[in-house]
Amino acid sequence: MRLHRLVLDDYRGINHREITFPASGVVIVEGANEVGKTSMIEALDLLLEERDSSAKQSVKAVRPAGRDVGSSVEAEISVGEHRFVYRKRWNRGASTDLRILQPAKAHWTGREAHDKVRAILAEHLDDRLFKAQRVLQTAPLEQGEWSGSTALATALDRAAGATADDPDETLPAAVEAEYRRHFTAGGRPTGEYRDLLRRVDECRAEVSAAAAELGEIAVRVGDHDRIEGELAGLVSELRDRSETLAGDEQRLAAARALVAQLAAATDSAGEAERFRDRASADRRAREEIVRRVDDRTAAVIRLADRVAASDAAAATAATALERAGITLAAIGTDVQTAAARAESALARADLAQDRADLLAVTDTLDAVAVCERDIAAAGAALAAHPVDDRHLRAVEGAANALSVATDVLQTSVTRLTVARPDGGPLLMDRLPVTADGALTLGDGTEIRWEAPAQAGELARTLEAAEQQWQEALTACGATDLADARRRGEIHRAAVADQAAAQRALRDLTGSSGPDELRARAALLRGRIGAGPPPGGPDDPDLARAASREARAEHAALQEQERQAASALHRAERESAAVDKERAVHRAQQQTAHVELESAREQLALARADQPDSVLDTALLRASERADSCADAVRTIREALGSTDVAVLDRTVAHGRARVADLQRRSEAAAGDLRTIAAELAVIGGQGRQERYDRAMTDLAAAEAEAGARTSRAGAAQLLRDTLLRHREDSRARYVAPFRAELRRLGKLLYGADFDVEVDPGLVVTTRTLDGVTLPFGALSSGAKEQLAVLIRLACAGLVGGEHGTPVLVDDALGFSDPERLGRIGEVLTAVGGDSQIVLMTCTPDRYRSVRGATVLRLRADGSTHKVRRRAVESVGAVESGQAVQEQAVQEQAVQEQSEEETAGQEPASLPELAPEPEQPVAAEPHRRRPRARGATEELSLFDELLHPVLPEHARSARGA
């Protein structure tokens, strides 16, 4: 199988992409992550496997996100002798289109196109090999399942040295050819065998159709009998229904006459009832007038009693109102007198309090005067002795500076030179000297001295210290340091006395000053002088108690005045209410008199018009007439009984409709009978029985021919299965070429010391490198990935040609180091000549070492750019690789032959075939199972297939 072109439209995140692949060689597809490399493999699988109507989740998942469009995939593929362009669209606007280009052009669509492709692939594609030749990033890292691949098995047989003269090669080929005459690689019928089975199905369909036509005649005869019976029933029912309808119509007419009589009687009864109602109403109106006269008479009497009672209550209320006014006037006079006494008592209490306050303020002012004298004396002392701590510190500092300057000047060294005339010794005290000089004594002794270098500066410092000392004493008014300190002590004592006097003054005056206290005293004296004359107690407490008693008496009298005023108001309200009630009663009395006269006049007029006896007679006659009419209504209703005219009406209508329906159905049934009779007359001349007989004859012939071919196909399948089982048993014989090819490629990658062990299932069990052998499961991820790629390349190199399938490697070798990646390029170059290898990667430099590769770069916008084609550097490298492969195969064959000769064994020959138990041949679900085969048929087919290729001794054994 070869993939020539792949086109994706609206597939996941790909809007449009078209890629063209060379028929052979290495193709490197480069692209960033999520550009759609893996989607290409997924799209190819969907195209080949899923119908366009599939609702699987895997098909729905390829719809572009946020777009309501269909996804389509198109591929141009070569498989076997066929080359075709195959396109499908899913999810929206589903469609399938197949254009076969070779060997003969054809065009298929829909389900037929899908089935055609599946048939081509089943016949020419080794599907197990196609699925195994992949290394995908989305699948677990595995070596692959190769045991079921027919193409690989054939290639390994060929690589193991089988020839046309070798029965081990010729026999399987003959058996496989016979098997493929009847079945595809997937086990489905094909060729003439498939056509025979289809012919049997067509004959059966023809028999079914003919039988259906014969059955139609029986159905129509049955329909004729059934309709004839239905028509008789309809005629009978129509007669019964017509008789019933006539009786119902008679009952309906009688009932309608009674209903009319009932309506007239009901109207008369209603009129009589209305006369009785009017007579009864007139009688009740007369009785109502009489009752009103009686009620108004009783009301006039009751209102007269109420008026008398209201007059008495008004007199009593007037007397109570007068007494309340007198009481309130007397209490008002007492309240005024008590108010005057309370005001006088309050004034005397305020005067007594002012006297007490003046005495307290006077005592405080005397103490304030003492504090002010102390403050003034302390101030005079401070003025006489102004030496505070600051002045004293200045004097003491000046004294210290003067002392230091004097000591420094006195301790300065003066160098003297003393010389006596006689040269004798001299002694002399040190003297402070500020300048150089000389002194000659009386005895002629000369004394010379030299002042220190800083003597002038020390003298000036001493002079400044003396001046500062005098200034400090003058500022303090002291004569010396002791006098200054004495003056400082006097100053500190005066400050303390002044502060104590000020604190005492503040304690006496509080927040107010002495001036406020003096103003308070003057105010109190003025109030005392302008107050009432003395006449109460001088003690403020006693005065306040007398004032409280006077105010309490005044308050009690005020409460009595308020209660008297409240009583007066109540008396006024009660008097007003009694007067109002009396006026109402008088007005009601007058109204009742008027209404009584009106009622008497109305009764007199009514009796003058119609006396009471006339009303009684009219009411009696109206009642008798109403009762008579009601009796007539009851009589008619009893005659009707439970008869419901509406029900009778619906029954008659339903009966008429049913009769009409029966008449219509009877006419229709009669027409159907005439139609069926005419159809049966026509069918009798069509020859349907002859067609059925011919179909049965054709079916018997087709089944006989298909049965014979099924027996032959079953024998071929049984023989093939037997040979395959024997091939599995002897698989170790062709493990050698697989291992040799894998070793050849591995040496290109790892070096000359590379080796592997392969079990009969073509699974690598161990790898040896640098003398170290490790199980496959113990290898690193990078080593496993490299071996997985090598295994698929080895299979591609062994199968090759038209039987091979593309090798698809998706983002593999990511765990490989740069050196291994460089060497694996040589491996790919060696295998890519006769195979189609597609490498997908997101790392452009990963396969840089592959020579002669076609590089396709996928872009994010969906375009594909062929960036370069690397030239083959050395054709001899490929040829030498093939030579190495052939040499490895020959070495392995020589090694096996020497082992057999060493063991003294003869070359293996085809084992004698034991008879196999009879088994049914698998067929499609809708196919008929093949008939049982006889032993003679099987042996004849075995002999036909085996005789040309078996050795003489084997043919003799088979004949025995």
Side-chain angles (χ1 to χ4, degrees):
M1 173 184 176
R2 290 293 182 265
L3 177 63
H4 302 287
R5 185 169 54 88
L6 185 64
V7 182
L8 280 68
D9 288 305
D10 298 319
Y11 192 94
R12 293 191 183 271
I14 302 172
N15 292 334
H16 174 77
R17 173 168 294 144
E18 181 172 357
I19 304 175
T20 302
F21 299 92
S24 61
V26 179
V27 179
I28 302 174
V29 181
E30 298 177 352
N33 289 330
E34 298 184 358
V35 78
K37 301 185 297 297
T38 306
S39 296
M40 295 164 50
I41 302 175
E42 177 193 41
L44 182 60
D45 288 341
L46 286 181
L47 175 66
L48 298 180
E49 296 176 2
E50 300 296 340
R51 297 185 184 274
D52 56 18
S53 59
S54 175
K56 294 182 180 179
Q57 185 60 36
S58 59
V59 175
K60 295 179 179 179
V62 303
R63 182 199 295 267
R67 299 172 58 201
D68 188 17
V69 296
S71 303
S72 64
V73 178
E74 178 180 309
E76 185 174 351
I77 299 172
S78 294
V79 55
E81 62 180 358
H82 297 278
R83 179 162 182 165
F84 55 85
V85 177
Y86 191 33
R87 178 181 178 86
K88 275 185 185 174
R89 182 182 180 91
W90 298 273
N91 295 324
R92 189 175 182 87
S95 63
T96 302
D97 186 85
L98 171 64
R99 289 183 291 109
I100 298 180
L101 308 178
Q102 295 175 357
K105 292 186 178 181
H107 188 197
W108 305 74
T109 59
R111 180 181 293 270
E112 294 179 349
H114 176 83
D115 294 340
K116 182 63 176 178
V117 171
R118 296 304 301 169
I120 293 174
L121 296 180
E123 185 174 358
H124 298 285
L125 176 65
D126 188 338
D127 188 65
R128 186 178 294 273
L129 180 65
F130 177 57
K131 293 296 179 63
Q133 287 287 62
R134 301 178 181 184
V135 179
L136 305 179
Q137 63 174 339
T138 58
L141 184 60
E142 298 176 347
Q143 296 188 38
E145 178 58 43
W146 311 100
S147 60
S149 172
T150 304
L152 179 59
T154 303
L156 290 175
D157 283 340
R158 184 173 58 252
T163 63
D165 297 332
D166 189 350
D168 287 344
E169 173 65 21
T170 308
L171 178 59
V175 173
E176 184 67 23
E178 180 66 20
Y179 175 79
R180 295 300 288 270
R181 285 180 59 196
H182 299 85
F183 299 101
T184 65
R188 296 180 179 178
T190 186
E192 295 179 359
Y193 181 44
R194 178 190 58 196
D195 295 339
L196 285 173
L197 294 178
R198 289 179 178 175
R199 176 58 181 163
V200 171
D201 290 340
E202 291 172 357
C203 290
R204 288 177 179 167
E206 180 65 19
V207 169
S208 298
E213 290 180 353
L214 286 179
E216 184 181 355
I217 297 175
V219 169
R220 301 307 288 168
V221 171
D223 291 343
H224 185 278
D225 296 339
R226 176 180 54 79
I227 295 174
E228 191 174 24
E230 291 178 355
L231 179 58
L234 289 173
V235 172
S236 177
E237 185 179 359
L238 177 60
R239 185 173 52 255
D240 297 339
R241 290 283 184 178
S242 298
E243 294 175 357
T244 303
L245 177 61
D248 291 339
E249 288 176 345
Q250 291 177 0
R251 287 192 297 273
L252 177 61
R256 284 178 175 174
L258 290 175
V259 168
Q261 295 176 8
L262 178 62
T266 301
D267 292 341
S268 299
E271 185 66 22
E273 190 65 32
R274 286 191 290 275
F275 281 129
R276 180 166 62 182
D277 291 341
R278 286 196 295 271
S280 177
D282 293 342
R283 183 59 186 168
R284 286 194 301 273
R286 179 63 55 83
E287 292 174 352
E288 177 64 21
I289 296 173
V290 173
R291 184 188 61 76
R292 285 171 55 194
V293 170
D294 295 340
D295 291 344
R296 296 299 179 269
T297 302
V300 168
I301 297 173
R302 287 195 304 274
L303 289 174
D305 295 338
R306 290 178 183 176
V307 169
S310 297
D311 293 340
T316 302
T319 303
L321 178 61
E322 183 180 0
R323 292 176 180 175
I326 294 171
T327 302
L328 179 60
I331 293 174
T333 302
D334 295 339
V335 167
Q336 292 176 357
T337 303
R341 287 198 300 270
E343 184 178 357
S344 176
L346 180 59
R348 291 191 181 90
D350 291 340
L351 180 62
Q353 184 63 45
D354 289 343
R355 289 173 180 171
D357 292 343
L358 178 61
L359 180 61
V361 170
T362 302
D363 294 341
T364 300
L365 287 175
D366 293 341
V368 166
V370 173
C371 292
E372 288 176 343
R373 286 195 298 273
D374 292 342
I375 292 171
L382 290 174
H385 302 84
V387 182
D388 55 8
D389 292 341
R390 179 178 59 80
H391 292 89
L392 186 59
R393 284 193 299 272
V395 171
E396 290 176 347
N400 291 332
L402 179 61
S403 176
V404 170
T406 302
D407 291 341
V408 170
L409 184 60
Q410 290 179 355
T411 57
S412 298
V413 179
T414 302
R415 186 173 61 185
L416 299 178
T417 302
V418 181
R420 292 183 58 183
D422 54 4
L426 292 175
L427 298 175
M428 186 174 182
D429 294 334
R430 293 180 299 175
L431 298 175
V433 179
T434 60
D436 297 341
L439 177 64
T440 302
L441 300 180
D443 56 1
T445 301
E446 186 179 10
I447 300 175
R448 295 183 182 275
W449 65 86
E450 293 178 2
Q454 68 274 22
E457 183 179 355
L458 292 175
R460 287 191 297 272
T461 301
L462 177 61
E463 183 179 358
E466 288 179 349
Q467 182 177 359
Q468 184 178 5
W469 162 251
Q470 291 299 327
E471 290 175 355
L473 290 177
T474 301
C476 294
T479 57
D480 54 14
L481 180 60
D483 187 24
R485 287 175 175 170
R486 181 183 62 80
R487 289 176 177 274
E489 290 296 331
I490 294 173
H491 183 85
R492 282 194 294 272
V495 169
D497 293 342
Q498 188 180 39
Q502 289 175 348
R503 284 195 299 274
L505 181 61
R506 285 193 299 272
D507 293 340
L508 289 172
T509 59
S511 59
S512 60
D515 295 338
E516 291 183 5
L517 288 176
R518 294 186 182 94
R520 172 68 175 167
L523 177 62
L524 292 174
R525 290 190 185 95
R527 287 166 57 180
I528 292 171
D538 295 332
D539 187 357
D541 294 336
L542 295 177
R544 282 195 294 274
S547 175
R548 284 195 296 273
E549 290 178 358
R551 288 198 301 275
E553 181 182 1
H554 178 256
L557 289 173
Q558 284 180 331
E559 178 63 22
Q560 291 178 6
E561 184 180 24
R562 186 188 64 76
Q563 292 177 357
S566 177
L568 178 61
H569 292 158
R570 284 197 302 273
E572 289 175 349
R573 287 195 300 273
E574 291 176 358
S575 178
V578 169
D579 292 342
K580 183 177 180 180
E581 184 179 4
R582 181 174 60 177
V584 170
H585 288 164
R586 290 183 181 275
Q588 290 176 349
Q589 185 180 25
Q590 292 177 359
T591 302
H593 279 292
V594 172
E595 290 177 352
L596 176 59
E597 293 300 327
S598 176
R600 287 175 177 173
E601 290 178 1
Q602 184 179 5
L603 178 59
L605 292 175
R607 285 176 174 171
D609 185 24
Q610 281 186 336
D612 293 343
S613 59
V614 173
L615 293 178
D616 293 340
T617 301
L619 178 59
L620 179 59
R621 291 177 179 176
S623 298
E624 290 176 352
R625 181 184 176 189
D627 293 341
S628 176
C629 292
D631 293 340
V633 170
R634 280 195 300 271
T635 301
I636 297 173
R637 284 179 176 171
E638 289 174 358
L640 278 174
S642 58
T643 303
D644 191 340
V645 177
V647 173
L648 278 175
D649 200 2
R650 288 194 297 271
T651 302
V652 169
H654 181 269
R656 290 172 179 170
R658 181 61 177 168
V659 167
D661 180 66
L662 288 173
Q663 291 174 347
R664 181 185 55 78
R665 290 170 60 191
S666 298
E667 294 172 357
D672 292 342
L673 283 177
R674 291 190 294 271
T675 301
I676 292 174
E679 290 177 354
L680 290 175
V682 173
I683 290 174
Q686 291 179 348
R688 295 190 179 187
Q689 181 65 43
E690 290 79 2
R691 178 185 175 188
Y692 176 75
D693 295 338
R694 286 195 304 271
M696 289 296 294
T697 302
D698 294 342
L699 176 60
E703 286 182 342
E705 187 178 359
R709 184 56 64 89
T710 298
S711 299
R712 185 180 183 89
Q717 186 178 31
L718 177 61
L719 181 57
R720 179 177 180 269
D721 293 342
T722 303
L723 290 177
L724 288 178
R725 284 197 299 273
H726 285 291
R727 173 179 289 175
E728 293 295 331
D729 295 338
S730 60
R731 174 169 290 190
R733 186 163 60 88
Y734 64 73
V735 167
F738 178 77
R739 179 169 175 260
E741 178 68 10
L742 189 58
R743 288 175 61 196
R744 180 181 76 86
L745 299 179
K747 291 179 184 296
L748 294 177
L749 177 61
Y750 295 104
D753 58 347
F754 169 81
D755 198 0
V756 292
E757 293 296 333
V758 181
D759 67 8
L762 301 182
V763 176
V764 175
T765 57
T766 63
R767 187 207 68 178
T768 301
L769 188 64
D770 298 331
V772 179
T773 300
L774 293 175
F776 181 83
L779 297 177
S780 66
S781 298
K784 289 180 180 178
E785 195 174 35
Q786 295 158 14
L787 273 178
V789 174
L790 285 180
I791 290 170
R792 286 157 175 84
L793 295 178
C795 292
L798 288 169
V799 177
E802 63 178 0
H803 299 292
T805 62
V807 179
L808 304 177
V809 181
D810 183 15
D811 261 339
L813 304 176
F815 299 102
S816 300
D817 55 75
E819 182 180 359
R820 294 274 172 83
L821 286 175
R823 292 180 180 177
I824 206 166
E826 300 178 8
V827 178
L828 292 168
T829 303
V831 179
D834 194 31
S835 303
Q836 188 180 41
I837 302 173
V838 180
L839 307 175
M840 302 179 184
T841 178
C842 60
T843 307
D845 294 336
R846 182 172 296 175
Y847 300 111
R848 176 179 294 177
S849 60
V850 182
R851 299 186 300 275
T854 300
V855 181
L856 303 176
R857 178 166 297 167
L858 305 184
R859 295 175 176 173
D861 59 359
S863 62
T864 305
H865 180 53
K866 182 184 290 187
V867 295
R868 63 188 180 279
R869 177 181 289 273
R870 300 190 181 97
V872 179
E873 296 179 2
S874 175
V875 178
V878 179
E879 296 176 351
S880 63
Q882 295 175 352
V884 171
Q885 175 184 4
E886 295 173 357
Q887 182 180 0
V889 173
Q890 293 175 2
E891 290 176 356
Q892 181 68 21
V894 171
Q895 181 180 358
E896 292 179 354
Q897 183 176 1
S898 72
E899 290 177 355
E900 291 177 356
E901 292 175 355
T902 302
Q905 298 176 354
E906 296 181 0
S909 59
L910 183 67
E912 184 177 357
L913 298 176
E916 292 291 330
E918 187 176 25
Q919 297 179 354
V921 178
E924 294 182 2
H926 65 280
R927 301 297 184 186
R928 184 173 58 87
R929 288 186 177 272
R931 296 172 181 173
R933 300 186 302 270
T936 304
E937 269 188 298
E938 293 184 4
L939 288 175
S940 62
L941 181 58
F942 270 82
D943 292 338
E944 181 182 345
L945 294 174
L946 295 177
H947 191 273
V949 297
L950 286 177
E952 183 63 32
H953 68 279
R955 289 199 296 270
S956 300
R958 180 62 184 168

